[in-house]
Amino acid sequence: MIKIVCVGKIKEAFYRDAVDEYKKRLSKYTDIEIVEVPDEGLTDQKTTLKKESEKILKIINPKDYIITMEIEGKELSSVELANKIDSIFNINSNITFIIGGSYGLSDEIKKISNFKLSFSKLTFPHQLFRILLLE
């Protein structure tokens, strides 16, 4: 099973439609669950990260293989990522991807990560990034 934990909700219908389409395509290969954690807004960064990480920690299973999406993470090609996911499924039947909010992820969340993944040095809107990950 793949779980994607995201900070923030998708409000635009066209993003939701794209997410639903990719979930449908992926459902042929694995169960997929997307869990949205409310964002804390753009207040104090330290407080925001702390509150968001508390919410994330309540949702994730520490036995899952945790992949955090981080700009500082390792960049993989599509083939390398597919191979990485296959190899993880050989040792663990559950993978949890974590997508942070506007301030990213707290150090507490980063510390529990089994693998830090980056798609690019660019930053993307979180709604769009969710679709990129599903693709």
Side-chain angles (χ1 to χ4, degrees):
M1 172 180 196
I2 292 179
K3 181 189 294 184
I4 302 174
V5 177
C6 312
V7 175
K9 292 187 178 250
I10 292 186
K11 297 174 182 97
E12 295 86 358
F14 61 93
Y15 283 135
R16 284 194 308 270
D17 291 344
V19 167
D20 290 343
E21 177 61 27
Y22 281 108
K23 280 176 61 179
K24 183 175 77 175
R25 291 179 188 186
L26 285 170
S27 68
K28 297 174 186 171
Y29 307 103
T30 187
D31 291 330
I32 185 148
E33 177 185 7
I34 297 177
V35 181
E36 294 178 331
V37 172
D39 65 15
E40 289 296 318
L42 295 175
T43 57
D44 172 59
Q45 182 175 355
K46 186 176 180 179
T47 303
T48 298
L49 285 172
K50 182 176 181 351
K51 288 180 179 180
E52 289 174 351
S53 73
E54 288 169 355
K55 293 175 189 175
I56 291 169
L57 289 170
K58 288 179 183 175
I59 293 170
I60 60 173
N61 183 340
K63 293 180 182 177
D64 290 356
Y65 190 95
I66 307 290
I67 299 176
T68 49
M69 306 307 301
E70 304 181 35
I71 290 176
E72 313 83 18
K74 182 173 173 128
E75 292 184 33
L76 301 175
S77 70
S78 296
V79 171
E80 290 170 328
L81 180 57
N83 290 337
K84 176 81 175 168
I85 290 170
D86 283 344
S87 69
I88 294 167
F89 276 138
N90 287 332
I91 59 169
N92 194 323
S93 59
N94 295 310
I95 300 173
T96 296
F97 288 90
I98 303 175
I99 303 172
S102 296
Y103 292 127
L105 296 168
S106 71
D107 289 338
E108 185 177 12
I109 297 296
K110 290 178 180 183
K111 285 178 187 172
I112 63 167
S113 178
N114 298 107
F115 187 77
K116 296 166 182 16
L117 178 63
S118 174
F119 276 10
S120 169
K121 298 298 179 201
L122 300 171
T123 13
F124 297 99
H126 294 102
Q127 301 92 330
L128 178 59
F129 188 79
R130 195 179 307 187
I131 296 164
L132 291 173
L133 177 59
L134 288 166
E135 163 51 29

